[in-house]
Amino acid sequence: MSNQPNQSEMPTKYEPKQTEAKWYPFWRDNGYFKAERNPNKTPFTIVIPPPNVTGNLHIGHALNNTLQDIMIRFKRMQGYDALWLPGMDHAGIATQARVEGTLREEGISRHDLGREKFVEKVWEWKEHYANIIREQWTKMGLSIDYSRERFTLDEGLSDAVREVFVRLYEKGLIYRGKYIINWDPATRTALSDIEVEYKDVQGALYHLRYPLKDGTGYIEVATTRPETMLGDTAVAVHPEDERYQHLIGKTVILPIVGREIPIVADDYVDREFGSGAVKITPAHDPNDFELGQRHSLPQVLVMDESGKMNENANIYQGQDRFECRKNIVHDLQEQGVLFKIEEHMHSVGHSERSGAVVEPYLSTQWFVKMGPLAERAIEAQKSKEGVQFVPDRFEKIYLHWIENVRDWCISRQLWWGHRIPAWYCEDCGEMTVSREDIHQCPKCSSQNLTQDTDVLDTWFSSALWPFSTLGWPDETEDMKHFYPTDVLVTGYDIIYFWVARMIFTALEFTDQKPFEHVLITGLVRDAEGRKMSKSLGNGVDPMEVIEQYGADAMRYMLATGCTPGNDQRFRWERVESARNFANKIWNASRFALMNMEGFRYEEIDINREKLGIADKWILHRLNETVKDTTRLLDSFEYGEVGRVLYNFVWDELCDWYIEVAKLPLYGDDEGAKKTTRSVLAYVLDRTMRLLHPFMPFITEEIWQHLPHEGDSLIVASWPEVKPELEDEPSVKQMELLMSVIRSVRNIRAEVNVPMSKKIELLIKANDEEMLSYLESGKAYIERFCNPEVLSIGTGIAAPEKAMSAVVSGAELYLPLAGLIDIEQEIARLEKELAALNGEVERVQKKLSNKGFVEKAPAQVIEQERAKEADYLEKQAKVKARIEELKG
């Protein structure tokens, strides 16, 4: 289909809202987002990092999603069978906490509703926020395949989760046991490491003396949590610490409790910290737990799930853990056990969901044995067949984690999530893990069965995302065609918790890595470089940005403002600059279309014999821009792509070519007009294609007005480099002409001579080649320099009094007599010099005032020094100009 442009349809001003409202439904309804599963096309697949259904998308999502949309639009235009699979995450504890929060406002708890009714409420919440997220995807212009949208709790993904759980269990890689986990006493559930936020807290280091059983003295220990001493089952020292060699194997009496506990030797102990002896509480500290396992120490739990002291806490039973801390400190001081308290700043884990201080807690949980799974992932990565991280420095972070991995606690004491597929027989005690729900005990045939009440950690289902979304464990056509995927785009903060887990599960269950590349993005910080947060109130709503400036401006600003792996700062002036760029593109296209009325796609004729200097130059530069843009997009250098496109569009196409094109467009030569229209139509068409992945709405709107072939820009072919359009000599010539024009304009500005005033211009060419370039480009020089007299030659002598400039290939002279009234200019400059002298004197007097320098803020003094430097520089320039004119 070809299109004859109708300039009257293109409004004077670009209105993003109207354009965005028009084109997104057009693309979606015409099926352009839908991957074809075409066996004759090379697939290119991205699975979206599924946003949590806890609330609206934030500016970080906008960056992440924009980069994926750029990739998918680029590859679609290159002819790939491009699938961008969307979906959302149930987000376990985060979503449950939000829903429980709304129930609390109504004065009820989940226990009042019961499990089934509560889960119904959470599904209602999910549907509400899923609709909001889809609306936000629409506003951002994301070309996602809605026909394949998935949710981590939908039926297919639930089947995949069960299959993985059962297979790992059957291989002995999932087990149930007691272990120290992060425990949130407020929500009463285990937490994954990622759900714990560490904050520096001013606390105290409490120094205690535990008496030796034989009465020969005591051993000193220090702790930040004295309430846990009630669960101590040993004191540990380093085996090579000479101070304690004679005590290893002896026994101390635990104060208050009176329990006898051993002194053990272990390499874990840091000899340099505190006294070099540490209390060991296996049920309340992960390192102590490991040490306790090595020495077969008992595990004494002294708190319950709500953070209150339990029956093992002696006289403190029933007290809150922090209340107990105060009381035990008092009692230990009274007994002379606590002999010193020091202020101590330390890092304390807080629940990301409830804000409560996290308690390391011994609990019966389900775990994945990570060693064998990690081993295979490490082997794949080190054999260079692993996933490629962009930037590659993040591979070290990934490897460090999987090489030091601990078993993964996968059970959560929640109601929202994938229920653990384990059933317990109330009659014979048999535990059965099954893919299907079971209603009869396989051992004793009893029907008195109870399913495990825990759900799986939300990362368990997220870990399967690249293949479960394509239909695994079934051998679906999508799985065969689109897997493994090509790129994952994610932040550096979840390399451990999500990226690593996707890699080892994919290797285990599909024998392939889940994606070829992982593009790591940084955070979008506020203008001051701070992390955006609710508490600081410095978050930016992407919908607000779109409302004010349009989706294209936001997308272009975010994508081109970052380098892989690095944070960027959000500044409204950068969005404004991107909006101005969109307006520049619009205005340039509108001008071109005003001069293209009735011009059809079939009439585009790029005939080298008919092309002028500027035509050849812009086509050569377009070729280079296509080459650079394609290469940089393939290497994920979006900031560099932005620079390349911005320079080409703003500086070369708009500021130079379109200005030069006015000469033939406004002239009488019909052949030259047709050539210029052809070049304009061709270059604008290709430029819209190059810009389309970044700014899809404005480019589609403009392209539809241009002479074009096809129904939509979104499925137009990606521009290719055309060797026949390469022309280095035209570039050399055009650069010379542009340098001449710029230099003349700069001289005019320097001496305040408006462009409307005719001048005398002499150009001395360095050689015959430069002379031919200047002669054949004479029309450009006359149009943009406005000379009354123009002399070009190789033997031109420099006039006595003239402004001059040197460019690559030529020297320029502008005789002063024709430029300015010398006496009048000297008088003006002397007046300017007097004013500058006054400013220099004022600022230097201020800076020599001792009282000002000592009392004024450093920032104010710095500003005054900057003013002084600026005035002195201007003063020197004006003096030099006066001397030059007088000479």
Side-chain angles (χ1 to χ4, degrees):
M1 170 183 151
S2 67
N3 168 277
Q4 182 171 336
N6 183 346
Q7 192 275 322
S8 63
E9 292 176 9
M10 197 163 170
T12 313
K13 189 182 173 194
Y14 177 55
E15 297 290 352
K17 281 183 192 172
Q18 293 171 16
T19 303
E20 290 163 17
K22 174 168 64 173
W23 289 115
Y24 197 85
F26 171 80
W27 294 325
R28 187 186 56 214
D29 298 347
N30 279 286
Y32 296 133
F33 298 163
K34 191 170 180 180
E36 302 169 38
R37 203 167 64 220
N38 183 336
N40 300 317
K41 282 187 174 185
T42 305
F44 181 87
T45 314
I46 300 174
V47 288
I48 202 168
N52 295 344
V53 287
T54 46
N56 300 352
L57 301 181
H58 53 66
I59 200 73
H61 288 115
L63 166 64
N64 186 286
N65 290 336
T66 295
L67 297 182
Q68 290 169 82
D69 196 40
I70 288 169
M71 285 178 207
I72 216 77
R73 286 177 184 270
F74 167 51
K75 291 296 176 183
R76 191 184 285 124
M77 292 174 81
Q78 281 191 315
Y80 286 81
D81 193 359
L83 167 62
W84 187 11
L85 192 148
M88 299 173 210
D89 198 318
H90 68 281
I93 188 171
T95 308
Q96 178 159 322
R98 292 292 300 273
V99 177
E100 285 197 75
T102 60
L103 290 176
R104 271 195 301 276
E105 289 169 16
E106 298 170 27
I108 54 174
S109 75
R110 62 175 159 132
H111 301 285
D112 296 328
L113 290 176
R115 187 166 192 146
E116 199 174 315
K117 289 282 183 192
F118 176 75
V119 170
E120 281 176 22
K121 282 274 183 196
V122 190
W123 275 106
E124 286 170 19
W125 171 283
K126 178 263 173 186
E127 286 307 319
H128 173 73
Y129 277 99
N131 287 330
I132 289 173
I133 288 167
R134 288 186 199 104
E135 182 59 28
Q136 291 178 310
W137 284 343
T138 297
K139 293 273 187 194
M140 286 188 245
L142 308 186
S143 56
I144 47 185
D145 187 344
Y146 289 98
S147 71
R148 290 178 167 91
E149 186 184 329
R150 305 304 299 266
F151 180 56
T152 50
L153 272 178
D154 70 26
E155 195 178 331
L157 268 69
S158 296
D159 290 345
V161 165
R162 279 219 181 169
E163 184 65 31
V164 166
F165 187 98
V166 173
R167 281 201 209 174
L168 289 175
Y169 180 78
E170 288 171 347
K171 286 183 80 169
L173 294 177
I174 279 184
Y175 65 93
R176 191 167 180 252
K178 282 194 168 186
Y179 207 81
I180 287 278
I181 42 88
N182 300 308
W183 184 265
D184 181 345
T187 56
R188 300 194 191 190
T189 184
L191 299 174
S192 66
D193 292 340
I194 198 171
E195 292 161 336
V196 180
E197 290 180 322
Y198 286 90
K199 301 174 189 175
D200 286 337
V201 172
Q202 182 64 61
L205 195 59
Y206 301 89
H207 295 264
L208 312 174
R209 288 178 176 144
Y210 286 4
L212 292 160
K213 182 187 173 187
D214 62 13
T216 56
Y218 53 81
I219 190 163
E220 289 182 11
V221 296
T223 181
T224 56
R225 300 194 303 150
E227 68 279 8
T228 63
M229 66 155 291
L230 302 167
D232 287 357
T233 56
V235 171
V237 297
H238 195 279
E240 294 166 15
D241 193 331
E242 292 175 7
R243 293 171 293 175
Y244 299 118
Q245 290 295 311
H246 65 294
L247 294 180
I248 296 169
K250 286 197 172 188
T251 304
V252 297
I253 305 296
L254 184 62
I256 296 177
V257 183
R259 187 163 60 242
E260 293 182 12
I261 59 175
I263 298 173
V264 299
D266 198 282
D267 290 336
Y268 157 70
V269 179
D270 180 358
R271 285 181 276 185
E272 308 304 318
F273 183 75
S275 65
V278 291
K279 59 191 272 317
I280 303 300
T281 321
H284 291 278
D285 183 281
N287 295 313
D288 291 5
F289 176 82
E290 301 281 358
L291 188 148
Q293 296 282 83
R294 290 194 290 274
H295 296 273
S296 302
L297 297 175
Q299 300 157 342
V300 179
L301 199 63
V302 297
M303 288 176 209
D304 65 17
E305 293 180 353
S306 67
K308 286 186 175 175
M309 308 310 287
N310 67 12
E311 67 280 1
N312 294 324
N314 205 285
I315 57 172
Y316 307 102
Q317 183 175 354
Q319 295 180 11
D320 175 77
R321 54 189 168 151
F322 298 116
E323 180 192 0
C324 174
R325 179 178 299 178
K326 287 179 191 170
N327 294 333
I328 206 166
V329 164
H330 174 268
D331 294 347
L332 290 169
Q333 282 175 316
E334 289 282 306
Q335 294 177 20
V337 173
L338 173 54
F339 67 95
K340 186 167 71 170
I341 302 175
E342 288 180 285
E343 282 194 355
H344 179 65
M345 183 69 75
H346 62 136
S347 184
V348 176
H350 290 71
S351 169
E352 187 184 58
R353 309 305 176 192
S354 69
V357 172
V358 168
E359 191 62 46
Y361 193 74
L362 184 67
S363 173
T364 301
Q365 303 286 346
W366 288 88
F367 295 88
V368 175
K369 195 178 286 182
M370 290 299 300
L373 297 169
E375 206 174 293
R376 185 169 178 186
I378 293 163
E379 192 183 317
Q381 203 64 29
K382 291 190 170 176
S383 68
K384 299 301 173 194
E385 291 176 12
V387 169
Q388 292 181 48
F389 284 81
V390 182
D392 59 8
R393 68 177 185 269
F394 287 101
E395 182 183 39
K396 288 179 186 169
I397 294 170
Y398 162 70
L399 275 171
H400 175 77
W401 185 75
I402 56 172
E403 284 170 349
N404 296 279
V405 74
R406 289 166 55 174
D407 285 0
W408 173 19
C409 173
I410 55 170
S411 47
R412 295 290 179 271
Q413 290 64 54
L414 303 170
W415 289 352
W416 173 244
H418 292 99
R419 194 119 171 233
I420 287 176
W423 285 261
Y424 306 97
C425 179
E426 299 294 333
D427 294 332
C428 73
E430 179 75 1
M431 182 186 79
T432 307
V433 169
S434 169
R435 289 172 178 82
E436 307 296 330
D437 287 3
I438 63 164
H439 306 286
Q440 185 171 307
C441 175
K443 187 178 181 183
C444 72
S445 300
S446 167
Q447 294 184 358
N448 192 10
L449 299 174
T450 307
Q451 186 177 357
D452 198 304
T453 55
D454 287 355
V455 300
L456 288 164
D457 176 12
T458 191
W459 296 102
F460 192 93
S461 49
S462 303
L464 321 181
W465 189 249
F467 52 94
S468 63
T469 50
L470 292 167
W472 187 94
D474 296 332
E475 185 76 3
T476 63
E477 292 305 312
D478 271 4
M479 186 73 187
K480 282 190 265 188
H481 186 64
F482 291 113
Y483 186 82
T485 70
D486 290 271
V487 186
L488 177 84
V489 184
T490 190
Y492 56 67
D493 51 339
I494 52 173
I495 291 173
Y496 307 152
F497 309 109
W498 189 39
V499 178
R501 286 167 178 165
M502 283 190 283
I503 294 170
F504 68 66
T505 51
L507 291 170
E508 174 69 21
F509 293 102
T510 71
D511 282 322
Q512 290 175 288
K513 57 189 174 186
F515 23 72
E516 188 64 36
H517 291 93
V518 178
L519 174 62
I520 301 294
T521 63
L523 301 177
V524 183
R525 296 182 177 273
D526 73 6
E528 295 172 40
R530 298 173 303 174
K531 190 174 178 180
M532 293 184 183
S533 68
K534 284 180 184 173
S535 58
L536 288 173
N538 61 345
V540 174
D541 180 357
M543 297 305 110
E544 186 187 332
V545 182
I546 292 170
E547 180 66 26
Q548 286 190 53
Y549 293 97
D552 287 330
M554 182 189 74
R555 289 167 59 109
Y556 186 82
M557 181 278 294
L558 287 171
T560 61
C562 64
T563 52
N566 294 325
D567 295 347
Q568 65 169 294
R569 294 188 181 192
F570 181 93
R571 291 190 175 97
W572 284 101
E573 54 267 33
R574 286 183 51 230
V575 195
E576 216 166 291
S577 172
R579 192 267 318 272
N580 294 344
F581 183 45
N583 288 341
K584 185 84 168 177
I585 297 163
W586 183 265
N587 293 335
S589 304
R590 194 169 171 276
F591 163 79
L593 285 160
M594 285 169 71
N595 290 279
M596 248 186 244
E597 200 164 339
F599 190 71
R600 300 180 66 86
Y601 178 80
E602 292 82 359
E603 295 175 72
I604 295 175
D605 179 21
I606 307 295
N607 184 336
R608 287 197 57 79
E609 302 301 316
K610 296 176 183 177
L611 298 176
I613 303 159
D615 301 324
K616 292 176 183 174
W617 165 74
I618 199 68
L619 290 166
H620 179 95
R621 285 297 301 121
L622 172 66
N623 237 5
E624 290 186 318
T625 304
V626 169
K627 189 191 305 174
D628 290 342
T629 302
T630 307
R631 173 179 57 82
L632 291 165
L633 280 173
D634 278 329
S635 55
F636 311 108
E637 294 287 351
Y638 301 109
E640 281 299 291
V641 176
R643 184 186 59 77
V644 166
L645 290 175
Y646 187 93
N647 291 345
F648 176 73
V649 174
W650 193 296
D651 297 342
E652 296 174 328
L653 178 57
C654 296
D655 285 358
W656 283 103
Y657 183 73
I658 284 178
E659 288 304 309
V660 168
K662 289 175 183 175
L663 292 174
L665 289 174
Y666 296 164
D668 299 323
D669 185 336
E670 289 304 317
K673 272 186 190 177
K674 188 182 175 189
T675 296
T676 304
R677 284 173 174 168
S678 289
V679 172
L680 262 178
Y682 180 82
V683 172
L684 277 170
D685 171 277
R686 266 53 186 179
T687 302
M688 292 310 110
R689 294 176 197 229
L690 294 175
L691 280 166
H692 179 73
F694 289 82
M695 307 171 95
F697 293 110
I698 191 171
T699 51
E700 181 76 77
E701 180 69 23
I702 291 169
W703 188 82
Q704 291 286 350
H705 285 85
L706 289 169
H708 67 266
E709 189 175 46
D711 294 325
S712 180
L713 179 57
I714 193 174
V715 285
S717 62
W718 185 255
E720 292 179 358
V721 173
K722 304 280 187 188
E724 66 272 20
L725 297 180
E726 289 181 11
D727 196 320
E728 288 291 348
S730 74
V731 174
K732 202 172 175 185
Q733 181 175 9
M734 193 65 189
E735 282 176 354
L736 172 63
L737 294 169
M738 290 190 296
S739 296
V740 168
I741 294 163
R742 274 194 210 102
S743 297
V744 171
R745 286 176 169 178
N746 289 342
I747 291 170
R748 279 179 174 275
E750 198 177 329
V751 294
N752 297 309
V753 173
M755 281 302 298
S756 57
K757 180 171 177 169
K758 296 277 185 184
I759 58 166
E760 184 180 354
L761 174 59
L762 300 112
I763 306 176
K764 180 186 176 184
N766 287 4
D767 52 41
E768 292 300 324
E769 184 187 25
M770 293 298 123
L771 180 63
S772 69
Y773 285 169
L774 291 164
E775 288 285 4
S776 60
K778 201 171 179 180
Y780 298 164
I781 298 170
E782 287 172 340
R783 167 68 182 81
F784 297 108
C785 295
N786 195 20
E788 188 171 24
V789 177
L790 173 62
S791 304
I792 303 172
T794 52
I796 287 176
E800 273 189 28
K801 287 188 177 181
M803 298 290 287
S804 65
V806 178
V807 298
S808 183
E811 292 172 48
L812 318 178
Y813 304 106
L814 281 74
L816 285 174
L819 262 186
I820 53 172
D821 180 319
I822 295 175
E823 294 305 320
Q824 196 178 355
E825 180 65 4
I826 290 171
R828 186 189 71 77
L829 288 169
E830 283 179 337
K831 194 175 175 184
E832 190 179 328
L833 181 62
L836 284 167
N837 290 340
E839 291 296 344
V840 168
E841 188 181 347
R842 183 195 62 75
V843 75
Q844 287 182 341
K845 192 175 178 183
K846 202 170 186 180
L847 288 168
S848 63
N849 181 335
K850 197 176 176 186
F852 169 75
V853 174
E854 286 175 358
K855 292 176 185 174
Q859 189 183 352
V860 173
I861 295 167
E862 199 53 47
Q863 284 171 353
E864 290 301 315
R865 287 202 173 118
K867 281 181 192 174
E868 179 191 29
D870 184 45
Y871 292 143
L872 286 169
E873 187 185 347
K874 287 176 180 171
Q875 185 188 53
K877 282 183 178 174
V878 173
K879 278 181 181 175
R881 283 292 296 128
I882 292 170
E883 291 304 314
E884 194 180 326
L885 290 171
K886 284 183 175 177

